[in-house]
Amino acid sequence: MSIATLSPAIAPDHYRSVMRHFPTGVAAVCAIDPETGKPCGMIVGTFQALSMEPALVTFSVTRTSTSWPKIARSGTFSVSLLADGQQTVCKALSSKAEDKFVAIDWEESRHGNPHINGALGWIDCTIKQELDGGDHLLIVASVQEMQEADGEPLVFHGGRLGGFRESAAA
Ligand SMILES: Cc1cc2nc3c(=O)[nH]c(=O)nc-3n(C[C@H](O)[C@H](O)[C@H](O)COP(=O)(O)O)c2cc1C
């Protein structure tokens, strides 16, 4: 008997409600669309390290995303790890605006991908696999090059954006 057969139906609202308790970082996945020559991108909270050797990263993308097909046809993209204070960058890149980059400060990496200035880390990647993830695609990508800067991360929790706060053990 499969696990799917044993599992009760999970109500999407309940699923979302439980997952709101799990904070994430905020990563901007960006590329230059080869069809237009313009930058394109989206925000993902599902970004994470997958493998050290070889260096692989992963994240999931909703199948309804209009930005992902543009990034996918590039075959290469960057991940900018957003810093506390970059809330407006997060809002712009998670919007459905025609030109999400109009007020974003960025520069092109030597791999041809947009790096968001002021971020804490930049990871240039090439797409390795697009796997089935239900109503999402699970993206696996190879790391080409990484850079980092000092600062505090932008954190997403319970539908809100903010900074990280360290707390002592009780
Ligand atoms: C904090 C945050 C995390 C998000 N994480 C994801 C994610 O992991 N996967 C995803 O497909 N969309 C995620 N989104 C939504 C997309 O960034 C965005 O709304 C969508 O890509 C915009 O539509 P477009 O792809 O049609 O341009 C997230 C949005 C925010 C604000």
Side-chain angles (χ1 to χ4, degrees), residues 166-170:
E166 188 174 6
S167 54

Side-chain angles (χ1 to χ4, degrees), residues 1-142:
M1 200 179 292
S2 72
I3 291 172
T5 313
L6 290 171
S7 300
I10 302 295
D13 283 352
H14 181 48
Y15 185 19
R16 267 191 286 274
S17 175
V18 172
M19 293 307 291
R20 277 167 67 89
H21 297 288
F22 192 62
T24 72
V26 181
V29 172
C30 303
I32 303 290
D33 181 353
E35 272 188 17
T36 63
K38 291 185 175 166
C40 56
M42 62 190 292
I43 295 296
V44 299
T46 50
F47 178 74
Q48 65 177 75
L50 174 64
S51 162
M52 295 294 144
E53 291 182 42
L56 301 174
V57 294
T58 184
F59 56 90
S60 65
V61 176
T62 177
R63 289 182 187 271
T64 59
S65 170
T66 58
S67 292
W68 178 251
K70 299 177 192 171
I71 299 167
R73 65 186 171 222
S74 163
T76 172
F77 63 85
S78 61
V79 182
S80 296
L81 307 176
L82 297 191
D84 190 14
Q86 293 193 299
Q87 283 84 338
T88 54
V89 174
C90 176
K91 285 188 180 134
L93 290 180
S94 58
S95 75
K96 290 276 185 186
E98 184 70 23
D99 181 2
K100 299 187 186 190
F101 282 75
V102 68
I104 291 181
D105 184 19
W106 64 280
E107 55 192 74
E108 194 169 326
S109 76
R110 66 193 190 97
H111 297 280
N113 303 311
H115 281 189
I116 310 290
N117 290 332
L120 300 180
W122 301 269
I123 306 163
D124 283 281
C125 303
T126 53
I127 299 170
K128 183 175 164 66
Q129 276 177 296
E130 272 187 17
L131 304 170
D132 176 37
D135 58 11
H136 281 59
L137 295 168
L138 186 66
I139 311 303
V140 176
S142 303

